[in-house]
Amino acid sequence: MRKNATLLAGLGHYTCPQSGGLVPPVQSSVTSVIDGSDGALGYARSGNSSVLLAESLLNTLENGQGCAFFNAGASAAWAVLSTLTPGDSVILEADCYYEFRTIISRYCQRLGIALTLVDLCNLEAVEQATRQGHTNLIWAELPTNPLWKIADIPALAKLAHRVGARLVVDATVATPLWLNALKLGADVVLHSATKYLNGHGDLTAGALVTARPDAWWQEIIAYRTASGSVLPAMEAWLLLRGMRTLSLRVERASENALKIARWLAQQPGVSVVHYPGLEQSPHFARAEAQFSGGFGAMLSFQLNAGAKAAAAFCRRTRVFRHSTSLGSTESLIEHRRSTEGEGSCCPDDLLRLSLGIEDCADLLADLAQALDATVNAKG
Ligand SMILES: *Cc1c(COP(=O)(O)O)cnc(C)c1O
């Protein structure tokens, strides 16, 4: 079995059957002749050849038994939610991607689905929540956002399976290179491919990878066709271009994150650094047990100078762009509480960094000058 970097660089040793080309063409036809070639795809709402190639690659990276790409990470999440019916019950990571928390809360309320927010690192709390009702899904995020906490996937899978529930792991931030949740017992892995898989901040995409191609999974595939949420051919083609360099980008960005986390942890103006790759992090042991190769490129830190200083900090950086999102080549900074807005549980002095692939010296110098200016402004 070839290594991930080798698989990705050549798109799984791709050769175009028509031209012999090493790069796939964009096959944008919506329909194909019914009695045509063996590879005829039918109607485009159920898929296209670029999506099939991306699915085969991600399926291999994640050790899956089926993969489906959608036109956004949110669409992939909706596809999973579409399998729920009134009376069902879901446990969701409390420190999860805030927009999804809003989406799922509204959906569950409208459909009469019980939703419980739980800190999934607290297994006793999870056990209690699963005992309360018939749980259908446990929805984890590894690491969580924006505190980058690491739950124990094998333990969660055991708890889920004991009550007949499925474990969904949103592994967007971990990337398929550093974490393979299916191998650890998860039933489905979700990626917002808008982030690292595409990696260039120029399209939205999402993916699910399953441990079993069962009837439940077929329901998800049918939902994608019915809702028209498959990733279109042009976007899938662009995504494939991004995926070729996934390992290089994620390696550099994760290295930058670790260096910056270590540096921040030594600054007197910084009260806490949240990064699972720091030896002193309460999540380090669980991260080390489940991740391999790196810990991801997202981190947060809190300032001694407080909330106003944190908000001002974002306007002082010259290399970091003041912007939300993650997983692109350029580094971003945001005052997370302001982004999340009303109902946010994020600490108000917290700054979230998405590390890109820049030279780390420039990133460190930028943070140093912004930190100096913040401390001086206060004094
Ligand atoms: C961005 C993101 C999503 C949503 O994905 P979209 O592609 O924006 O729809 C879901 N989960 C996580 C962890 C994300 O960062």
Side-chain angles (χ1 to χ4, degrees), residues 89-93 114-118 120 125-126 129-131 135-140:
S89 163
V90 178
I91 293 174
L92 175 67
E93 166 60 53
L115 178 71
T116 320
L117 298 186
V118 180
L120 295 187
V126 183
T130 46
R131 234 187 282 123
T135 306
N136 301 80
L137 288 179
I138 297 183
W139 197 294

Side-chain angles (χ1 to χ4, degrees), residues 258 262 275-282 284-285:
L258 184 58
R262 286 184 175 150
Y275 185 66
L278 280 180
E279 286 84 350
Q280 64 268 38
S281 159
F284 181 71

Side-chain angles (χ1 to χ4, degrees), residues 72-75 97 100 141 145 170 172-173 190 192-195 204-206 326:
S75 314
Y97 174 57
F100 180 62
E141 212 175 285
N145 179 357
D170 182 337
T172 299
V173 171
L190 185 148
S192 166
T194 307
K195 316 295 168 49
T204 65
L326 57 117

Side-chain angles (χ1 to χ4, degrees), residues 185-258:
D187 299 286
V188 189
V189 170
L190 185 148
H191 287 284
S192 166
T194 307
K195 316 295 168 49
Y196 297 99
L197 287 167
N198 179 58
H200 294 75
D202 50 12
L203 62 83
T204 65
L208 296 173
V209 192
T210 185
R212 281 170 303 278
D214 54 10
W216 186 74
W217 176 251
Q218 294 312 322
E219 214 181 306
I220 285 174
I221 301 295
Y223 170 86
R224 184 180 69 167
T225 301
S227 63
S229 53
V230 72
L231 187 64
M234 295 283 181
E235 272 85 349
W237 184 85
L238 202 53
L239 169 76
L240 285 170
R241 182 208 275 239
M243 284 175 74
R244 300 175 84 112
T245 56
L246 177 67
S247 52
L248 271 182
R249 289 184 286 101
V250 169
E251 278 163 25
R252 167 66 83 90
S254 291
E255 273 168 34
N256 282 348
L258 184 58

